[in-house]
Amino acid sequence: SVSVALLVTPLVTASFPSLAATATMADKTEFTRLFQRCFQLINLIMLPIISFLWFLRGPVIALLFQRGAFVAEDTVNTAQVVGFLLPATLAVSWQMFLAKALFSLQKIRAFVVIIILFAGMDILLNILWIAPYGLLGVDSARSASLSVSVVLMLLVVYHMVPNFERGEFFVSLC
């Protein structure tokens, strides 16, 4: 997604040195603050974009593509697929940031295991869902796999940083 490439990737890349430096400190308070702040910024950037595109996906797709052989029915079908993909865009942003957080905490093995599970789950769900649901099955498989990988990464970070208070950690991410 263009919004991830242009807006989230620079934020995640710029936050990595600070995350890595604070992760090595004995007191994880600064890591916690920086982690939560970056997560909130990602949400602040992506949620309005996703909401805007979700509500206007039909007109935007019609404006960009509906001409020649691309008819109104194609616009409706494409808009439906885009509607399923947009939430996955937020999950991709979170996954990108959580990968840097895991690298900062030197949890490379956990990251690799989660990504392997993500890929395996994505492949399995695609096999199961593509025949009955078509492109929506592919989108749903990707969204489900991404969601599971994000939750697993969040849990690893949560358990690695002892000063995350129960409940406060997840509420502060919003």
Side-chain angles (χ1 to χ4, degrees), residues 57-134:
R57 67 188 186 273
V60 169
I61 291 167
L63 179 69
L64 293 175
F65 300 112
Q66 191 171 325
R67 62 183 71 73
F70 198 94
V71 296
E73 183 181 341
D74 298 325
T75 298
V76 170
N77 292 336
T78 304
Q80 189 177 24
V81 171
V82 168
F84 273 85
L85 276 176
L86 284 171
T89 305
L90 183 60
V92 166
S93 301
W94 289 343
Q95 187 185 55
M96 184 186 314
F97 174 65
L98 288 166
K100 298 293 188 194
L102 290 175
F103 295 158
S104 298
L105 294 167
Q106 299 178 358
K107 287 297 179 185
I108 311 303
R109 181 174 290 151
F111 171 76
V112 170
V113 168
I114 291 169
I115 292 302
I116 290 170
L117 289 172
F118 159 71
M121 182 178 175
D122 192 41
I123 291 168
L124 177 64
L125 290 177
N126 270 293
I127 290 168
L128 294 173
W129 292 351
I130 198 165
Y133 304 112

Side-chain angles (χ1 to χ4, degrees), residues 8 36 62 107 135:
V8 175
Q36 291 171 331
K107 287 297 179 185
L135 288 176

Side-chain angles (χ1 to χ4, degrees), residues 6-162:
L6 294 178
L7 301 171
V8 175
T9 301
L11 171 68
V12 169
T13 303
S15 69
F16 181 59
S18 298
L19 277 173
T22 58
T24 59
M25 296 168 36
D27 179 22
K28 299 281 194 237
T29 304
E30 184 61 19
F31 178 87
T32 303
R33 188 193 67 73
L34 184 61
F35 178 87
Q36 291 171 331
R37 183 68 181 139
C38 288
F39 215 94
Q40 290 168 347
L41 283 172
I42 290 169
N43 289 340
L44 184 68
I45 291 167
M46 293 303 296
L47 288 174
I49 293 170
I50 290 169
S51 299
F52 174 78
L53 289 175
W54 196 84
F55 285 111
L56 295 176
R57 67 188 186 273
V60 169
I61 291 167
L63 179 69
L64 293 175
F65 300 112
Q66 191 171 325
R67 62 183 71 73
F70 198 94
V71 296
E73 183 181 341
D74 298 325
T75 298
V76 170
N77 292 336
T78 304
Q80 189 177 24
V81 171
V82 168
F84 273 85
L85 276 176
L86 284 171
T89 305
L90 183 60
V92 166
S93 301
W94 289 343
Q95 187 185 55
M96 184 186 314
F97 174 65
L98 288 166
K100 298 293 188 194
L102 290 175
F103 295 158
S104 298
L105 294 167
Q106 299 178 358
K107 287 297 179 185
I108 311 303
R109 181 174 290 151
F111 171 76
V112 170
V113 168
I114 291 169
I115 292 302
I116 290 170
L117 289 172
F118 159 71
M121 182 178 175
D122 192 41
I123 291 168
L124 177 64
L125 290 177
N126 270 293
I127 290 168
L128 294 173
W129 292 351
I130 198 165
Y133 304 112
L135 288 176
L136 293 179
V138 173
D139 295 341
S140 299
R142 175 55 49 101
S143 294
S145 303
L146 276 166
S147 299
V148 169
S149 73
V150 164
V151 168
L152 291 174
M153 288 180 184
L154 273 171
L155 289 173
V156 171
V157 171
Y158 176 78
H159 289 293
M160 284 299 301
V161 182

